[in-house]
Amino acid sequence: MRKLIAASFFASAALAGEASQDDFTNLSIEELLNLEIISASRLGPKTSQAPTSVSILTAKDIRTFGWRTLAEALNSLRGLFTSSDRNYSFLGARGFMRSGDYNSRILLMIDGQRLNENIYDGGYIAQEFMLDMDLVDHIEYVPGSGSSIYGANAFLGMINIVTKQGQAINGAQVAGEIGTFDTYKGRVSYGKSLDNGADVLFSASHFDSAGVENLYFPGFDTPETNRGVAHNMDDERADRLFGKFKFEEFTLSGGYVNRFKRVPTASFDGIFNDQQFFTEDKQFFTNLKYEKNVSDTAKLQLKGYYQGYDYHADQAYLLDGSRVINHDFASGRWWGGEAQLTFSPINGHRMILGLEYQYDQRQALTNHDIDPYFSYVRSRRSGHRLEAYLQDDIQILDDLIFSAGARVDYHHMLNSMQANPRLGLIWSPLANTQFKLLYSSTFRAPNSWERDYNAFGFVANPDMREEQIKSYEGIVEWRSANGLRLLGSLFHNDISQLLMGRPATADIDGDYSVQNYGRYHAYGIELEGEKRWSSGRLLKASYTYNLLTNENSHGTWATYSPQNLFKLHYAESFFNDYLTLGIENIFIDRRKLDYAGSFGDGYNLVNINLSSDKLIRGLDTSFGIYNLFDIHPQMPGVSDQVDIIRMNGRELRLKLQLTF
């Protein structure tokens, strides 16, 4: 049925009408650097003057390079790299990644609203992400810790996804995609700026993929386990809803995603090639925001929200020779609000004062065998979070800004208050040149899963403390009058009290527990050059060198950490802008998979995307070739039998979008 719907859509696409687009697509380098972005309400009036190095991807970038998921877009940014265990996608920053941590050390937001859920602190970035990429106006990435302005999960950085306004769609929109591995996607959207000044946007979509029919895992290559071939075990589907209504000072928004994924890796001692192993995630949010300029020098923002997350997984495993289904379940609900005042009490000062509150109404975890019934985990928590922050950007001289901020947090998962500063010195000796010296610290509290999981050899540890990080960075940024931008950065991260599973101590009754054991040092350099032409041509290159060391292993190179990242992006328009070519080259260096010396090979990924919105009026078309040279990147595994996971080879996608 879904194939018939897709075929009908593509056949009728020639009836396209006139499109109108008014989104964040055509800004020059100068305009980007002088833009007041949403997250910058806590940073500074302009990205060039913010006490950080902000990276921005626009809607035009997303369309030009054909990024299908947020994970693909983030993998293009300097210093970031992604991984996958064929169930979830994981994000690494400046050399640091913990496979299986569900991105709990990166703060993920939509329009400034925190998305990390309250069970695993997960920030989900692939098909389990809340938004279609077609609804994204731009993406903001702020590297480094940011406690004084963002809070606990901005441990390694912050990502804010800014959604389009309804006027950017300006009518009804229907989109369809077909791709390799029987992949189909359909979307319907409506957006409009009304005569009374209100702006409305609504969108719904469905994604369905059969995945790779036969996946081979050498560790299971025995007659009893189908010679290591997982057959029809890679399917995935996702449904999404998103809406936004803006009128005068009020904005009401909400989103929902339901994602199902079958798991082919037989992780957690599951039966290999058994269809009864899947995960399902549901997440939603609602947000009401009020913004008002109360004077020429003061702006007030108030917001309230309600959010939820549900997860469940069924897994077949053998118990005393019998096949048993294990059911894993988590459910979270939380609500809260924020008040923020931005003002200038005296000339030369720009101050931000904020108060946030969150009530974790439900943090529930259960795990049990279905038949015969046996309960392993049953946990339910609730509690309060309260945060207050203050930041002052002081214009010491015409070319010198000192930024000082501090944040105090109460978190019900910790026994003590947390206080963290952020300091920045920004010198602009020339109008097109900035030097920045930055320091910040932050924490991450134990999440509900780390605190309460008590089964299969792991025992709860009531003595957990917060993870801590201190970040130091020096940045130089220069731009020319004709759109060339150059950036260089030196950084150092000192990570301590990292929560890790390790053998339980003598006073803990069990085999393993999660303890504040890890300590890492990160040293690195980032270089980036970008040039945008008025013709639409783009050339962008970045190089990152990371050295992440495990200080508990005598300063040796840490696992999962690539030392070299190189990224190149080129775009060109042809035939009087009728066709746009986007070429992406991503090099990720090899990664150590364990301290015994096992390595995952480095890889060089080349993607090509062709797009046009002028072939037929109102019709936007694109054709993407992903992984052009048909390599199979190696990702960290999930068990001794699956120590390396091979990713897909070459993939194709055809997408048509009709606006009328």
Side-chain angles (χ1 to χ4, degrees):
M1 181 63 181
R2 292 182 186 123
K3 295 182 182 180
L4 179 61
I5 293 172
S8 299
F9 168 72
F10 288 122
S12 63
L15 302 176
E18 184 174 2
S20 175
Q21 191 84 342
D22 182 18
D23 55 16
F24 192 90
T25 57
N26 297 309
L27 296 186
S28 66
I29 288 290
E30 183 72 23
E31 290 169 322
L32 286 172
L33 289 171
N34 289 284
L35 181 73
E36 182 168 353
I37 53 179
I38 285 181
S39 62
S41 62
R42 297 189 186 183
L43 287 171
K46 300 178 182 179
T47 59
S48 60
Q49 296 179 2
T52 187
S53 54
V54 182
S55 295
I56 298 175
L57 297 175
T58 69
K60 184 175 182 179
D61 295 331
I62 294 170
R63 177 178 172 273
T64 297
F65 297 103
W67 295 316
R68 297 165 293 182
T69 65
L70 178 61
E72 290 183 347
L74 295 177
N75 201 40
S76 74
L77 289 171
R78 74 174 188 275
L80 296 181
F81 59 100
T82 59
S83 183
S84 171
D85 64 359
R86 289 199 172 272
N87 189 8
Y88 294 95
S89 291
F90 307 103
L91 184 64
R94 291 184 166 177
F96 186 93
M97 187 188 76
R98 297 286 299 167
S99 182
D101 77 342
Y102 308 108
N103 308 318
S104 63
R105 297 172 179 88
I106 297 282
L107 179 61
L108 184 64
M109 298 192 292
I110 291 179
D111 293 331
Q113 176 59 46
R114 168 196 168 101
L115 285 188
N116 298 68
E117 36 83 5
N118 70 344
I119 303 295
Y120 308 96
D121 271 344
Y124 303 105
I125 59 174
Q127 292 300 337
E128 61 273 22
F129 177 56
M130 186 85 66
L131 284 177
D132 289 294
M133 294 302 289
D134 292 322
L135 303 181
V136 176
D137 185 70
H138 63 280
I139 300 169
E140 306 163 357
Y141 166 55
V142 178
S145 61
S147 174
S148 67
I149 48 177
Y150 297 119
N153 285 99
F155 197 80
L156 299 171
M158 183 282 299
I159 296 162
N160 185 36
I161 296 89
V162 181
T163 58
K164 292 180 178 178
Q165 301 290 333
Q167 65 178 353
I169 295 177
N170 195 32
Q173 198 170 81
V174 182
E177 303 176 20
I178 57 175
T180 311
F181 307 124
D182 290 330
T183 299
Y184 303 91
K185 182 179 177 182
R187 174 180 60 85
V188 293
S189 303
Y190 177 80
K192 200 75 173 177
S193 181
L194 306 180
D195 293 339
N196 63 358
D199 188 274
V200 61
L201 170 65
F202 178 79
S203 182
S205 70
H206 175 78
F207 169 88
D208 199 326
S209 178
V212 182
E213 182 178 9
N214 293 303
L215 290 168
Y216 175 64
F217 298 94
F220 286 103
D221 194 347
T222 66
E224 296 79 15
T225 52
N226 199 35
R227 288 295 181 186
V229 176
H231 180 67
N232 290 335
M233 290 289 296
D234 195 36
D235 54 308
E236 182 175 23
R237 58 181 180 267
D239 295 293
R240 296 181 179 86
L241 295 171
F242 178 77
K244 183 165 68 171
F245 177 79
K246 180 178 175 62
F247 181 68
E248 295 182 348
E249 293 89 4
F250 292 91
T251 303
L252 176 65
S253 60
Y256 169 82
V257 61
N258 182 355
R259 178 259 195 176
F260 170 95
K261 180 66 173 70
R262 208 172 302 278
V263 183
T265 56
S267 52
F268 308 110
D269 296 323
I271 299 175
F272 184 77
N273 198 36
D274 192 302
Q275 289 285 309
Q276 193 70 20
F277 193 173
F278 65 85
T279 60
E280 185 173 7
D281 299 85
K282 300 177 183 179
Q283 192 169 1
F284 71 84
F285 83 97
T286 58
N287 179 293
L288 179 61
K289 183 187 299 183
Y290 172 82
E291 294 179 288
K292 177 74 172 180
N293 291 322
V294 295
S295 72
D296 293 339
T297 59
K299 179 179 180 180
L300 176 66
Q301 177 179 291
L302 304 172
K303 71 177 180 180
Y305 59 85
Y306 180 68
Q307 296 177 251
Y309 171 75
D310 292 306
Y311 155 87
H312 82 272
D314 281 357
Q315 172 184 349
Y317 77 104
L318 292 176
L319 179 64
D320 298 329
S322 299
R323 181 177 179 272
V324 176
I325 303 300
N326 180 263
H327 181 73
D328 198 33
F329 174 78
S331 179
R333 297 290 185 272
W334 62 101
W335 55 266
E338 178 183 2
Q340 178 183 296
L341 179 64
T342 304
F343 62 105
S344 298
I346 56 176
N347 189 35
H349 287 256
R350 180 181 184 271
M351 299 189 70
I352 305 169
L353 178 64
L355 184 67
E356 296 182 58
Y357 170 77
Q358 178 172 312
Y359 177 57
D360 289 326
Q361 179 181 348
R362 181 200 303 163
Q363 294 171 297
L365 288 164
T366 63
N367 183 285
H368 64 267
D369 290 342
I370 295 177
D371 186 17
Y373 179 83
F374 185 84
S375 177
Y376 297 99
V377 176
R378 183 171 294 275
S379 168
R380 190 176 182 108
R381 279 183 177 270
S382 62
H384 306 271
R385 308 183 192 190
L386 183 64
E387 303 94 19
Y389 58 89
L390 174 66
Q391 181 167 300
D392 188 4
D393 296 330
I394 308 169
Q395 191 83 44
I396 299 176
L397 300 171
D398 290 342
D399 58 359
L400 188 64
I401 297 174
F402 176 60
S403 179
R407 184 180 181 109
V408 178
D409 290 71
Y410 166 79
H411 197 297
H412 65 95
M413 288 289 190
L414 297 171
N415 295 322
S416 60
M417 300 280 286
Q418 303 295 314
N420 288 278
R422 182 185 182 103
L423 303 173
L425 192 63
I426 304 162
W427 179 42
S428 303
L430 301 172
N432 63 351
T433 306
Q434 283 79 39
F435 293 88
K436 303 178 183 182
L437 291 177
L438 309 174
Y439 167 79
S440 60
S441 71
T442 191
F443 75 102
R444 187 183 76 90
N447 59 50
S448 180
W449 182 86
E450 290 167 331
R451 174 75 76 182
D452 294 337
Y453 200 78
N454 189 29
F456 308 110
F458 273 85
V459 293
N461 177 10
D463 298 323
M464 289 182 185
R465 302 183 305 280
E466 74 283 356
E467 296 181 341
Q468 296 180 348
I469 183 172
K470 296 180 179 179
S471 297
Y472 309 81
E473 186 172 7
I475 301 167
V476 57
E477 189 170 359
W478 174 86
R479 63 193 184 278
S480 70
N482 62 358
L484 175 63
R485 171 177 167 266
L486 300 176
L487 179 142
S489 170
L490 290 170
F491 63 86
H492 167 58
N493 290 331
D494 182 1
I495 302 170
S496 60
Q497 298 185 178
L498 196 76
L499 288 164
M500 303 174 65
R502 65 180 305 214
T505 57
D507 57 341
I508 297 178
D509 185 17
D511 297 327
Y512 296 91
S513 66
V514 179
Q515 303 175 37
N516 294 95
Y517 173 72
R519 179 158 191 190
Y520 292 84
H521 286 165
Y523 308 88
I525 181 172
E526 292 180 346
L527 302 173
E528 184 172 70
E530 179 178 5
K531 166 74 170 165
R532 294 178 186 258
W533 285 262
S534 58
S535 64
R537 180 184 299 150
L538 165 68
L539 181 61
K540 180 179 178 181
S542 70
Y543 170 73
T544 303
Y545 172 77
N546 306 294
L547 178 59
L548 182 72
T549 61
N550 187 335
E551 298 305 300
N552 290 334
S553 295
H554 310 291
T556 56
W557 177 21
T559 56
Y560 311 140
S561 177
Q563 292 190 352
N564 295 281
L565 309 176
F566 175 73
K567 305 179 181 184
L568 179 65
H569 293 83
Y570 173 73
E572 185 75 55
S573 295
F574 300 95
F575 309 115
N576 197 27
D577 293 336
Y578 268 77
L579 184 67
T580 299
L581 170 67
I583 302 175
E584 176 178 49
N585 185 96
I586 305 291
F587 171 75
I588 308 295
D589 206 356
R590 67 174 185 162
R591 289 181 264 188
K592 187 191 295 187
L593 302 183
D594 58 49
Y595 288 98
S598 177
F599 286 90
D601 294 338
Y603 62 90
N604 195 74
L605 192 67
V606 177
N607 304 318
I608 295 179
N609 191 66
L610 290 169
S611 59
S612 176
D613 61 357
K614 292 186 177 181
L615 297 178
I616 300 176
R617 183 185 298 178
L619 181 66
D620 196 330
T621 65
S622 67
F623 176 69
I625 306 175
Y626 303 88
N627 195 350
L628 176 67
F629 297 110
D630 199 28
I631 64 172
H632 292 272
Q634 296 180 343
M635 302 297 173
V638 296
S639 66
D640 291 337
Q641 290 174 293
V642 185
D643 58 342
I644 292 177
I645 300 177
R646 297 173 77 242
M647 294 291 102
N648 297 345
R650 186 183 299 115
E651 297 184 45
L652 307 177
R653 180 187 74 158
L654 174 65
K655 176 185 173 184
L656 300 180
Q657 176 180 285
L658 170 66
T659 305
F660 53 91

